[in-house]
Amino acid sequence: ADDTAAFFAFGDPDAVWLPATPSRAWAALGAEPSDMPVLYVGGVQLVNRRLRPIGRGGGRLRPSLGNALVQNIGPGCAMVMNAAARQRLLTHPPYALSVHDHWAYLVTAAFGSVIHDPHPTVLYRQHGANAIGAQHRLWQKWAKRVKRVRSRQRFLTAQAAEFERIFGESLPADARALVHRFVHDRGGLLTALRYALEGGVYRQTRADNLMLKVLLTLRRI
């Protein structure tokens, strides 16, 4: 992208921005200090391949580092960032991570500000060929959760460990402590249970939070 631009967005050929999306994103980002990393995340309207609505996506609670450690608040097609956020992401590319948009949320939540706009800004197309898509039916969401438990693959912990490796020394003290505890302080069963209840990480819905606490207690994340 052109380094002289003020704002940047991920390209997603499946998604459709609604007409008001650029002006809403520019207004939100422009109201923040230009030297602070800021990420705008718009609301998502899930649609089928013919752009017919099939559900809603996006977060309900406030964005934060505690949320970003365990969940991505929105897809890349709904994200717009300022130049400071882009520069922060490009300065220290990760060696290993889950997906690019989650990494953008994690980094910006730690060093700047994340703005969640619940107003629908993107038609997020869902079809059989999605590289990464949303599970809009309840049974699909729970099937994905069960599969994650069975697979025993700790993507979130690996991503947080990579984040700590790259940015640990430059994080504010409270953020550094939050990340360090998530990565290192969940060894024994009782310690994991205590962390699940008091660790400061959360997901965006009650059902997801319940599953998160179970996975943390079982040390599957």
Side-chain angles (χ1 to χ4, degrees):
D2 185 348
D3 288 341
T4 64
F7 308 121
F8 300 84
F10 294 116
D12 188 333
D14 277 342
V16 178
W17 273 15
L18 296 175
T21 298
S23 61
R24 294 183 70 90
W26 304 166
L29 292 168
E32 301 293 332
S34 61
D35 60 345
M36 178 178 70
V38 184
L39 178 69
Y40 169 90
V41 184
V44 173
Q45 173 69 64
L46 303 179
V47 296
N48 63 17
R49 63 179 183 176
R50 296 179 181 177
L51 302 184
R52 293 175 179 171
I54 56 176
R56 288 288 301 275
R60 296 175 176 84
L61 305 177
R62 64 178 179 84
S64 73
L65 179 59
N67 180 226
L69 284 169
V70 294
Q71 183 181 21
N72 187 19
I73 199 173
C77 60
M79 293 180 173
V80 185
M81 69 189 73
N82 66 3
R86 174 181 180 268
Q87 185 58 40
R88 172 66 71 170
L89 290 168
L90 292 178
T91 301
H92 299 288
Y95 175 73
L97 57 91
S98 55
V99 286
H100 62 284
D101 43 14
H102 195 167
W103 183 257
Y105 176 34
L106 180 61
V107 172
T108 312
F111 290 100
S113 175
V114 178
I115 302 168
H116 176 243
D117 180 2
H119 187 275
T121 60
V122 173
L123 304 181
Y124 189 23
R125 198 191 314 254
Q126 304 295 298
H127 54 73
N130 285 89
I132 299 176
Q135 286 72 37
H136 58 276
R137 294 186 179 89
L138 184 61
W139 70 266
Q140 290 177 317
K141 293 179 180 179
W142 281 101
K144 184 178 180 181
R145 294 183 182 112
V146 172
K147 182 179 180 181
R148 183 182 301 151
V149 172
R150 294 179 63 186
S151 67
R152 300 185 180 183
Q153 295 179 355
R154 302 179 183 180
F155 292 113
L156 294 175
T157 304
Q159 178 173 255
E162 179 68 359
F163 178 76
E164 184 183 41
R165 182 188 71 83
I166 294 173
F167 294 112
E169 294 301 320
S170 57
L171 286 171
D174 55 345
R176 187 186 312 125
L178 181 65
V179 174
H180 183 85
R181 190 179 181 197
F182 179 75
V183 175
H184 301 286
D185 294 349
R186 296 184 283 120
L189 180 60
L190 291 179
T191 302
L193 175 60
R194 187 179 303 112
Y195 181 85
L197 298 175
E198 305 172 353
V201 296
Y202 64 91
R203 290 177 65 88
Q204 290 288 325
T205 68
R206 291 181 178 179
D208 280 349
N209 259 325
L210 176 60
M211 179 56 70
L212 173 66
K213 293 181 186 302
V214 172
L215 293 175
L216 288 172
T217 301
L218 297 176
R219 292 171 292 174
R220 299 293 176 85
I221 293 179

